[in-house]
Amino acid sequence: MKTTHLALLVGLFMGAVLAFGSFADFILVALCGVVGWAVGLYLEGRVDVQSILNWRKQ
């Protein structure tokens, strides 16, 4: 299993632990999943955060 997939699952699990019930809770779980996915991409080296931060300074 790739690190990205594992991080996505961890993010979804953490979101599910934090939220039970309404549509807003569903959005919270989806947001946690996206954050987990992004962290996984960073850990695999597929996203260069420094280039993103430098792009904002231009």
Side-chain angles (χ1 to χ4, degrees), residues 42 47-55 57:
Y42 172 74
V47 172
D48 184 17
V49 176
Q50 192 63 36
S51 68
I52 295 170
L53 294 176
N54 288 337
W55 173 77
K57 291 180 182 180

Side-chain angles (χ1 to χ4, degrees), residues 3-57:
T3 307
T4 305
H5 295 128
L6 180 60
L8 173 61
L9 291 175
V10 168
L12 289 173
F13 176 74
M14 290 176 66
V17 168
L18 290 173
F20 294 179
S22 69
F23 181 72
D25 295 338
F26 170 75
I27 297 298
L28 178 64
V29 171
L31 181 64
C32 288
V34 169
V35 169
W37 176 68
V39 168
L41 287 176
Y42 172 74
L43 291 175
E44 283 185 349
R46 294 171 54 189
V47 172
D48 184 17
V49 176
Q50 192 63 36
S51 68
I52 295 170
L53 294 176
N54 288 337
W55 173 77
R56 285 189 55 197
K57 291 180 182 180

